[in-house]
Amino acid sequence: EIVLTQSPGTLSLSPGERATLSCRASQSVSSSYLAWYQQKPGQAPRLLIYGASSRATGIPDRFSGSGSGTDFTLTISRLEPEDFAVYYCQQYGSLCSFGQGTKLEIK
Amino acid sequence: EVQLVESGGGLVKPGGSLRLSCAASGFTFSSYSMNWVRQAPGKGLEWVSSISSSSSYIYYADSVKGRFTISRDNAKNSLYLQMNSLRAEDTAVYYCARERRGATRNDYWGQGTLVTVSS
């Protein structure tokens, strides 16, 4: 079982700032099988990034993903008010699992 | 437009059973693997089960193995989750999600259905 650990648990930033979210895997994950999701209260998750670095359809280019092996990063270059939400990483390298989430809150 | 609509949630007593359904439209259902993912109140996402397009491959999380059964009816464009021996810790919103292969991800999600296990 691959365990994904996200950090930080909560990130407090202001609109316009840059956000860097981390996802660390307990064992190596192929980049093809690492995705990121955004979830707002009362809504289903929304796919942001797949294959570690490819943006999903309709996702603004301020969202970017990077990383390989056991360390992956989601970066939001310039925060908009609608970006404050919870973010999850997901792996499909061995069955499927999610990280515990990072809450991005307004400072 | 791709749509996934879950139904069948509700209140059930511990030890009871419930069958969830997910009606799919807007895409060729028989060509895609499908997943169930759940989220306990105030908690994170937990993968529950996956089924391949022709039902040849089925996988479960350890937490539900032996109690839950995933199935699909491609003629009816429907996905199911039969949940038996339910426990309080199964209380969650259950989402069905389409699995896109290649760089595997869940590209479409339903709105979820709430299952509450309580006496």
Side-chain angles (χ1 to χ4, degrees), chain A residues 5-11 20-24 36 72 100-102:
Chain A
T5 302
Q6 293 186 239
S7 61
T10 301
L11 186 57
T20 302
L21 287 66
S22 174
C23 175
R24 178 161 290 177
W36 290 91
F72 298 89
Q100 83 279 17
T102 290

Side-chain angles (χ1 to χ4, degrees), chain A residues 39-45 86, chain B residues 39 93 95 110-112:
Chain A
Q39 188 180 34
K40 296 180 179 179
Q43 297 184 14
V86 180
Chain B
Q39 186 169 37
V93 173
Y95 297 100
Q111 85 290 348

Side-chain angles (χ1 to χ4, degrees), chain B residues 17-97:
Chain B
S17 297
L18 212 55
R19 189 195 196 205
L20 305 184
S21 299
C22 172
S25 61
F27 65 102
T28 305
F29 180 73
S30 59
S31 296
Y32 289 85
S33 294
M34 297 294 295
N35 301 160
W36 287 100
V37 175
R38 69 184 180 183
Q39 186 169 37
K43 303 297 184 183
L45 301 172
E46 179 187 15
W47 170 76
V48 172
S49 183
S50 296
I51 186 168
S52 63
S53 57
S54 61
S55 306
S56 298
Y57 301 96
I58 288 175
Y59 305 99
Y60 297 99
D62 287 344
S63 58
V64 307
K65 199 174 296 182
R67 301 186 300 122
F68 289 12
T69 301
I70 191 172
S71 62
R72 64 190 295 160
D73 185 336
N74 287 342
K76 294 183 177 180
N77 291 340
S78 292
L79 174 72
Y80 306 102
L81 186 67
Q82 177 67 44
M83 304 186 294
N84 298 332
S85 303
L86 283 162
R87 307 167 179 166
E89 54 265 36
D90 295 318
T91 294
V93 173
Y94 285 74
Y95 297 100
C96 68

Side-chain angles (χ1 to χ4, degrees), chain A residues 55-78:
Chain A
R55 273 188 301 277
T57 303
I59 301 303
D61 60 7
R62 64 179 181 273
F63 290 91
S64 63
S66 62
S68 63
T70 60
D71 290 297
F72 298 89
T73 300
L74 174 69
T75 301
I76 310 172
S77 60
R78 188 176 172 84

Side-chain angles (χ1 to χ4, degrees), chain A residues 28-105:
Chain A
S28 184
V29 175
S30 167
S31 296
S32 295
Y33 301 128
L34 197 288
W36 290 91
Y37 299 84
Q38 176 194 67
Q39 188 180 34
K40 296 180 179 179
Q43 297 184 14
R46 173 194 183 196
L47 176 67
L48 295 176
I49 300 288
Y50 64 94
S53 61
S54 297
R55 273 188 301 277
T57 303
I59 301 303
D61 60 7
R62 64 179 181 273
F63 290 91
S64 63
S66 62
S68 63
T70 60
D71 290 297
F72 298 89
T73 300
L74 174 69
T75 301
I76 310 172
S77 60
R78 188 176 172 84
L79 286 166
E80 297 287 342
E82 62 267 28
D83 298 337
F84 292 91
V86 180
Y87 292 83
Y88 296 94
C89 57
Q90 176 201 45
Q91 68 79 25
Y92 262 109
S94 173
L95 292 182
C96 175
S97 58
F98 291 90
Q100 83 279 17
T102 290
K103 182 180 181 180
L104 179 56
E105 65 176 25

